[in-house]
Amino acid sequence: MAKDHIDPVEALRQNTAQPFEQARAMPPEVYTSQEFLDQELAHIFAKDWFCVGRADALAEPGSYTTCDLAGQPILVMRDRDGELRGLSNVCLHRMSTLLHGRGKTRAIVCPYHAWTYNLDGSLRGAPAMTLNEGFCKDQYQLPKVRCEEWLGWVFVTLNQDASPVAEQLSQVAEMVAGYDMTNYTEAFYEEHVWDTNWKVLAENFMESYHLPVCHAGTIGGLSKLEDMVCPPGLPAFNYHTILKEESLKIAMAHEKNTRLKGDERRTTYLLALYPSLLITLTPGYFWYLSLHPNGPGQVHIRFGGGMSNDFADDPEVEQNFQDLKALLDDVNIEDRGCTEKVFRGLSSGMAEPGHLSHLERPNYDFAQYLMAKIVEGQEAEAQKA
Ligand code: FES
Ligand SMILES: [Fe+2]
């Protein structure tokens, strides 16, 4: 059953005009239409900060990671002076992409004809170019991309006017100061592609309402709806918290951590830093997802995590963390099942958004954020025109 064309931005405008007490899930077109995705790419991913991972994973000179941000291939490189640099990942010869995935290198060598760049993006050399009279290697420099580090996270943006990450997220820093996010080391990192819209996965992370059911086979039994707290969000992020059972030792604050008091020592924060960095932060370990759309029906996932450095000298922890990673993998399989089912469902003709639980407060705030960004972007475009 094909629906008549509905303007997805207009549908979201009507949806987000409701107060939280009467809110419904976002309309299906917001997830399924290329038209809406184009708006997101232009007004959100091309404008906001995007997280490419953890700074400690890029510690050595020559360590790099790559991403595609709103259609622009970007590389982030630790240069010889220890600075992180964002650079265009497009060769200045016949425009191949240069580096792929994550790794470590002494120079950036194009895989097509071996034009070779220094870690700062200047051209070091190019084979068989001496007979072209116009060619001068000193005139070639990979364009720079803004890159910032914040509490151990590495972000890039294509927007010269974006305010600094630390400014946008200062309230997050205050709220979780006792966890000291800088003091965690990444132990695993993977990239995945799932067949669902990026927002379905982001929203799945934002609510723990699904834990007892979707995760019945793993962590569901440990998750009590009454232990979940979902306060209203703020302009740049939303969050909720869960109290963890004392039995999961690596989720508790280590005795070296004297900053966290009382129940905070077993509190897990689920932070959704807009648009798409999702962090599960426990006093002992953390894991994260950084999402980018790959078309309306696919999401590219950067998935990493590790332990607080407070546990570094604890001999049992390595095994405990490996057990946790195995559990996370099982939990992820369940989330994949649920989020791919949601995408199939909302792509169907009879899909209609139902009311939200009070435990889906962050989802409501996320919808408000999306609408605000698109309106802001459209107004800026209209002013230019
Ligand atoms: S495209 Fe990079 S060297 Fe030719
Ligand atoms: Fe889940």
mmCIF file of all heavy atoms in Angstrom, residues 313-343:
data_model
loop_
_atom_site.group_PDB
_atom_site.id
_atom_site.type_symbol
_atom_site.label_atom_id
_atom_site.label_comp_id
_atom_site.label_asym_id
_atom_site.label_seq_id
_atom_site.Cartn_x
_atom_site.Cartn_y
_atom_site.Cartn_z
ATOM 1 N N ASP A 313 45.965 -1.899 37.252
ATOM 2 C CA ASP A 313 46.836 -2.836 37.977
ATOM 3 C C ASP A 313 46.066 -3.997 38.586
ATOM 4 O O ASP A 313 46.602 -4.747 39.397
ATOM 5 C CB ASP A 313 47.560 -2.096 39.116
ATOM 6 C CG ASP A 313 48.369 -0.942 38.581
ATOM 7 O OD1 ASP A 313 48.913 -1.088 37.471
ATOM 8 O OD2 ASP A 313 48.433 0.116 39.259
ATOM 9 N N ASP A 314 44.821 -4.152 38.197
ATOM 10 C CA ASP A 314 43.979 -5.183 38.802
ATOM 11 C C ASP A 314 44.058 -6.451 37.939
ATOM 12 O O ASP A 314 43.596 -6.459 36.807
ATOM 13 C CB ASP A 314 42.542 -4.629 38.851
ATOM 14 C CG ASP A 314 41.657 -5.438 39.758
ATOM 15 O OD1 ASP A 314 41.848 -6.662 39.809
ATOM 16 O OD2 ASP A 314 40.765 -4.843 40.387
ATOM 17 N N PRO A 315 44.666 -7.530 38.444
ATOM 18 C CA PRO A 315 44.935 -8.702 37.593
ATOM 19 C C PRO A 315 43.676 -9.397 37.055
ATOM 20 O O PRO A 315 43.702 -9.964 35.974
ATOM 21 C CB PRO A 315 45.723 -9.658 38.513
ATOM 22 C CG PRO A 315 45.514 -9.154 39.909
ATOM 23 C CD PRO A 315 45.175 -7.703 39.814
ATOM 24 N N GLU A 316 42.585 -9.344 37.790
ATOM 25 C CA GLU A 316 41.374 -10.045 37.332
ATOM 26 C C GLU A 316 40.673 -9.318 36.186
ATOM 27 O O GLU A 316 39.823 -9.896 35.509
ATOM 28 C CB GLU A 316 40.339 -10.098 38.472
ATOM 29 C CG GLU A 316 40.561 -11.143 39.511
ATOM 30 C CD GLU A 316 39.646 -10.857 40.705
ATOM 31 O OE1 GLU A 316 38.453 -10.562 40.483
ATOM 32 O OE2 GLU A 316 40.147 -10.903 41.840
ATOM 33 N N VAL A 317 41.047 -8.050 36.035
ATOM 34 C CA VAL A 317 40.218 -7.222 35.182
ATOM 35 C C VAL A 317 40.241 -7.620 33.724
ATOM 36 O O VAL A 317 39.222 -7.591 33.042
ATOM 37 C CB VAL A 317 40.603 -5.746 35.376
ATOM 38 C CG1 VAL A 317 40.303 -4.930 34.167
ATOM 39 C CG2 VAL A 317 39.840 -5.225 36.561
ATOM 40 N N GLU A 318 41.400 -8.051 33.262
ATOM 41 C CA GLU A 318 41.520 -8.435 31.856
ATOM 42 C C GLU A 318 40.467 -9.498 31.511
ATOM 43 O O GLU A 318 39.726 -9.370 30.541
ATOM 44 C CB GLU A 318 42.945 -8.948 31.603
ATOM 45 C CG GLU A 318 43.223 -9.325 30.183
ATOM 46 C CD GLU A 318 42.986 -8.174 29.186
ATOM 47 O OE1 GLU A 318 43.038 -6.982 29.565
ATOM 48 O OE2 GLU A 318 42.728 -8.491 28.028
ATOM 49 N N GLN A 319 40.382 -10.534 32.365
ATOM 50 C CA GLN A 319 39.403 -11.598 32.135
ATOM 51 C C GLN A 319 37.976 -11.048 32.241
ATOM 52 O O GLN A 319 37.132 -11.329 31.399
ATOM 53 C CB GLN A 319 39.622 -12.747 33.128
ATOM 54 C CG GLN A 319 38.741 -13.959 32.860
ATOM 55 C CD GLN A 319 38.891 -14.487 31.423
ATOM 56 O OE1 GLN A 319 40.005 -14.639 30.923
ATOM 57 N NE2 GLN A 319 37.766 -14.730 30.739
ATOM 58 N N ASN A 320 37.756 -10.229 33.294
ATOM 59 C CA ASN A 320 36.417 -9.655 33.473
ATOM 60 C C ASN A 320 35.999 -8.842 32.259
ATOM 61 O O ASN A 320 34.854 -8.884 31.828
ATOM 62 C CB ASN A 320 36.375 -8.735 34.710
ATOM 63 C CG ASN A 320 36.478 -9.514 35.993
ATOM 64 O OD1 ASN A 320 36.429 -10.738 35.974
ATOM 65 N ND2 ASN A 320 36.647 -8.824 37.105
ATOM 66 N N PHE A 321 36.976 -8.097 31.709
ATOM 67 C CA PHE A 321 36.628 -7.250 30.577
ATOM 68 C C PHE A 321 36.342 -8.090 29.332
ATOM 69 O O PHE A 321 35.428 -7.793 28.566
ATOM 70 C CB PHE A 321 37.708 -6.211 30.285
ATOM 71 C CG PHE A 321 37.253 -5.238 29.246
ATOM 72 C CD1 PHE A 321 36.299 -4.275 29.550
ATOM 73 C CD2 PHE A 321 37.713 -5.318 27.946
ATOM 74 C CE1 PHE A 321 35.818 -3.411 28.578
ATOM 75 C CE2 PHE A 321 37.237 -4.449 26.965
ATOM 76 C CZ PHE A 321 36.295 -3.498 27.288
ATOM 77 N N GLN A 322 37.111 -9.173 29.165
ATOM 78 C CA GLN A 322 36.840 -10.057 28.018
ATOM 79 C C GLN A 322 35.445 -10.676 28.134
ATOM 80 O O GLN A 322 34.742 -10.819 27.138
ATOM 81 C CB GLN A 322 37.900 -11.147 27.934
ATOM 82 C CG GLN A 322 39.174 -10.625 27.295
ATOM 83 C CD GLN A 322 40.287 -11.642 27.303
ATOM 84 O OE1 GLN A 322 40.055 -12.831 27.486
ATOM 85 N NE2 GLN A 322 41.507 -11.179 27.121
ATOM 86 N N ASP A 323 35.060 -11.035 29.363
ATOM 87 C CA ASP A 323 33.707 -11.569 29.574
ATOM 88 C C ASP A 323 32.670 -10.513 29.210
ATOM 89 O O ASP A 323 31.655 -10.796 28.585
ATOM 90 C CB ASP A 323 33.500 -11.993 31.037
ATOM 91 C CG ASP A 323 34.426 -13.136 31.436
ATOM 92 O OD1 ASP A 323 35.024 -13.759 30.525
ATOM 93 O OD2 ASP A 323 34.561 -13.392 32.649
ATOM 94 N N LEU A 324 32.966 -9.272 29.627
ATOM 95 C CA LEU A 324 32.043 -8.183 29.342
ATOM 96 C C LEU A 324 31.912 -7.960 27.833
ATOM 97 O O LEU A 324 30.814 -7.770 27.311
ATOM 98 C CB LEU A 324 32.525 -6.891 30.006
ATOM 99 C CG LEU A 324 31.687 -5.675 29.627
ATOM 100 C CD1 LEU A 324 30.383 -5.669 30.410
ATOM 101 C CD2 LEU A 324 32.428 -4.381 29.842
ATOM 102 N N LYS A 325 33.052 -8.023 27.123
ATOM 103 C CA LYS A 325 33.017 -7.808 25.665
ATOM 104 C C LYS A 325 32.177 -8.907 25.000
ATOM 105 O O LYS A 325 31.379 -8.626 24.094
ATOM 106 C CB LYS A 325 34.446 -7.788 25.108
ATOM 107 C CG LYS A 325 34.524 -7.720 23.586
ATOM 108 C CD LYS A 325 33.878 -6.473 23.028
ATOM 109 C CE LYS A 325 34.120 -6.215 21.547
ATOM 110 N NZ LYS A 325 33.821 -7.253 20.609
ATOM 111 N N ALA A 326 32.322 -10.124 25.468
ATOM 112 C CA ALA A 326 31.516 -11.224 24.918
ATOM 113 C C ALA A 326 30.030 -10.955 25.172
ATOM 114 O O ALA A 326 29.182 -11.172 24.295
ATOM 115 C CB ALA A 326 31.944 -12.551 25.532
ATOM 116 N N LEU A 327 29.724 -10.442 26.364
ATOM 117 C CA LEU A 327 28.335 -10.108 26.689
ATOM 118 C C LEU A 327 27.829 -8.970 25.791
ATOM 119 O O LEU A 327 26.730 -9.033 25.240
ATOM 120 C CB LEU A 327 28.232 -9.714 28.168
ATOM 121 C CG LEU A 327 26.861 -9.251 28.657
ATOM 122 C CD1 LEU A 327 25.860 -10.404 28.621
ATOM 123 C CD2 LEU A 327 26.943 -8.684 30.075
ATOM 124 N N LEU A 328 28.681 -7.950 25.621
ATOM 125 C CA LEU A 328 28.292 -6.820 24.760
ATOM 126 C C LEU A 328 27.993 -7.291 23.342
ATOM 127 O O LEU A 328 27.063 -6.810 22.699
ATOM 128 C CB LEU A 328 29.410 -5.771 24.685
ATOM 129 C CG LEU A 328 29.582 -4.811 25.850
ATOM 130 C CD1 LEU A 328 30.714 -3.832 25.551
ATOM 131 C CD2 LEU A 328 28.285 -4.042 26.108
ATOM 132 N N ASP A 329 28.789 -8.244 22.854
ATOM 133 C CA ASP A 329 28.557 -8.761 21.499
ATOM 134 C C ASP A 329 27.192 -9.431 21.415
ATOM 135 O O ASP A 329 26.463 -9.250 20.438
ATOM 136 C CB ASP A 329 29.662 -9.749 21.098
ATOM 137 C CG ASP A 329 30.977 -9.029 20.800
ATOM 138 O OD1 ASP A 329 30.951 -7.800 20.579
ATOM 139 O OD2 ASP A 329 32.025 -9.692 20.808
ATOM 140 N N ASP A 330 26.829 -10.191 22.464
ATOM 141 C CA ASP A 330 25.514 -10.843 22.475
ATOM 142 C C ASP A 330 24.389 -9.808 22.567
ATOM 143 O O ASP A 330 23.355 -9.929 21.904
ATOM 144 C CB ASP A 330 25.398 -11.808 23.668
ATOM 145 C CG ASP A 330 26.312 -13.023 23.493
ATOM 146 O OD1 ASP A 330 26.750 -13.266 22.346
ATOM 147 O OD2 ASP A 330 26.582 -13.706 24.497
ATOM 148 N N VAL A 331 24.621 -8.782 23.387
ATOM 149 C CA VAL A 331 23.627 -7.710 23.531
ATOM 150 C C VAL A 331 23.443 -7.002 22.183
ATOM 151 O O VAL A 331 22.327 -6.685 21.767
ATOM 152 C CB VAL A 331 24.076 -6.707 24.622
ATOM 153 C CG1 VAL A 331 23.224 -5.447 24.597
ATOM 154 C CG2 VAL A 331 24.020 -7.369 26.000
ATOM 155 N N ASN A 332 24.554 -6.815 21.486
ATOM 156 C CA ASN A 332 24.495 -6.148 20.187
ATOM 157 C C ASN A 332 23.716 -6.945 19.154
ATOM 158 O O ASN A 332 23.030 -6.378 18.304
ATOM 159 C CB ASN A 332 25.903 -5.893 19.659
ATOM 160 C CG ASN A 332 26.373 -4.515 20.033
ATOM 161 O OD1 ASN A 332 25.573 -3.591 20.113
ATOM 162 N ND2 ASN A 332 27.664 -4.374 20.264
ATOM 163 N N ILE A 333 23.842 -8.262 19.218
ATOM 164 C CA ILE A 333 23.083 -9.100 18.280
ATOM 165 C C ILE A 333 21.588 -8.900 18.530
ATOM 166 O O ILE A 333 20.797 -8.785 17.589
ATOM 167 C CB ILE A 333 23.497 -10.584 18.423
ATOM 168 C CG1 ILE A 333 24.919 -10.760 17.889
ATOM 169 C CG2 ILE A 333 22.519 -11.506 17.689
ATOM 170 C CD1 ILE A 333 25.558 -12.096 18.212
ATOM 171 N N GLU A 334 21.215 -8.795 19.815
ATOM 172 C CA GLU A 334 19.805 -8.549 20.135
ATOM 173 C C GLU A 334 19.370 -7.167 19.647
ATOM 174 O O GLU A 334 18.284 -7.004 19.080
ATOM 175 C CB GLU A 334 19.586 -8.668 21.656
ATOM 176 C CG GLU A 334 19.771 -10.092 22.157
ATOM 177 C CD GLU A 334 19.822 -10.190 23.695
ATOM 178 O OE1 GLU A 334 20.244 -9.217 24.363
ATOM 179 O OE2 GLU A 334 19.470 -11.245 24.211
ATOM 180 N N ASP A 335 20.223 -6.159 19.863
ATOM 181 C CA ASP A 335 19.881 -4.810 19.399
ATOM 182 C C ASP A 335 19.777 -4.759 17.879
ATOM 183 O O ASP A 335 18.921 -4.065 17.328
ATOM 184 C CB ASP A 335 20.932 -3.795 19.867
ATOM 185 C CG ASP A 335 20.679 -3.357 21.306
ATOM 186 O OD1 ASP A 335 19.509 -3.205 21.685
ATOM 187 O OD2 ASP A 335 21.662 -3.173 22.048
ATOM 188 N N ARG A 336 20.665 -5.486 17.221
ATOM 189 C CA ARG A 336 20.605 -5.515 15.761
ATOM 190 C C ARG A 336 19.266 -6.082 15.304
ATOM 191 O O ARG A 336 18.600 -5.522 14.427
ATOM 192 C CB ARG A 336 21.758 -6.350 15.200
ATOM 193 C CG ARG A 336 21.735 -6.382 13.701
ATOM 194 C CD ARG A 336 22.943 -7.078 13.111
ATOM 195 N NE ARG A 336 22.984 -6.789 11.685
ATOM 196 C CZ ARG A 336 24.029 -6.991 10.907
ATOM 197 N NH1 ARG A 336 25.142 -7.477 11.427
ATOM 198 N NH2 ARG A 336 23.979 -6.703 9.629
ATOM 199 N N GLY A 337 18.870 -7.192 15.933
ATOM 200 C CA GLY A 337 17.581 -7.802 15.595
ATOM 201 C C GLY A 337 16.448 -6.800 15.783
ATOM 202 O O GLY A 337 15.614 -6.607 14.884
ATOM 203 N N CYS A 338 16.410 -6.150 16.939
ATOM 204 C CA CYS A 338 15.299 -5.233 17.226
ATOM 205 C C CYS A 338 15.311 -4.026 16.292
ATOM 206 O O CYS A 338 14.258 -3.629 15.781
ATOM 207 C CB CYS A 338 15.352 -4.769 18.683
ATOM 208 S SG CYS A 338 14.804 -6.064 19.817
ATOM 209 N N THR A 339 16.471 -3.441 16.065
ATOM 210 C CA THR A 339 16.495 -2.206 15.266
ATOM 211 C C THR A 339 16.260 -2.493 13.776
ATOM 212 O O THR A 339 15.679 -1.667 13.070
ATOM 213 C CB THR A 339 17.823 -1.439 15.447
ATOM 214 O OG1 THR A 339 18.916 -2.310 15.120
ATOM 215 C CG2 THR A 339 17.976 -0.935 16.880
ATOM 216 N N GLU A 340 16.689 -3.670 13.300
ATOM 217 C CA GLU A 340 16.402 -4.010 11.898
ATOM 218 C C GLU A 340 14.908 -4.338 11.739
ATOM 219 O O GLU A 340 14.314 -4.014 10.708
ATOM 220 C CB GLU A 340 17.315 -5.149 11.415
ATOM 221 C CG GLU A 340 18.769 -4.668 11.326
ATOM 222 C CD GLU A 340 19.753 -5.630 10.660
ATOM 223 O OE1 GLU A 340 19.409 -6.826 10.464
ATOM 224 O OE2 GLU A 340 20.858 -5.201 10.327
ATOM 225 N N LYS A 341 14.314 -4.923 12.763
ATOM 226 C CA LYS A 341 12.859 -5.188 12.704
ATOM 227 C C LYS A 341 12.089 -3.871 12.689
ATOM 228 O O LYS A 341 11.091 -3.734 11.976
ATOM 229 C CB LYS A 341 12.402 -6.004 13.916
ATOM 230 C CG LYS A 341 12.761 -7.471 13.850
ATOM 231 C CD LYS A 341 12.132 -8.218 15.022
ATOM 232 C CE LYS A 341 12.638 -9.642 15.111
ATOM 233 N NZ LYS A 341 13.834 -9.769 15.975
ATOM 234 N N VAL A 342 12.525 -2.909 13.494
ATOM 235 C CA VAL A 342 11.857 -1.602 13.504
ATOM 236 C C VAL A 342 11.929 -0.983 12.106
ATOM 237 O O VAL A 342 10.942 -0.462 11.590
ATOM 238 C CB VAL A 342 12.472 -0.653 14.556
ATOM 239 C CG1 VAL A 342 11.962 0.773 14.377
ATOM 240 C CG2 VAL A 342 12.162 -1.149 15.967
ATOM 241 N N PHE A 343 13.086 -1.067 11.484
ATOM 242 C CA PHE A 343 13.199 -0.439 10.159
ATOM 243 C C PHE A 343 12.278 -1.111 9.144
ATOM 244 O O PHE A 343 11.635 -0.449 8.337
ATOM 245 C CB PHE A 343 14.642 -0.420 9.649
ATOM 246 C CG PHE A 343 14.768 0.450 8.429
ATOM 247 C CD1 PHE A 343 14.681 1.827 8.536
ATOM 248 C CD2 PHE A 343 14.881 -0.114 7.166
ATOM 249 C CE1 PHE A 343 14.730 2.643 7.415
ATOM 250 C CE2 PHE A 343 14.929 0.696 6.038
ATOM 251 C CZ PHE A 343 14.861 2.070 6.162
#
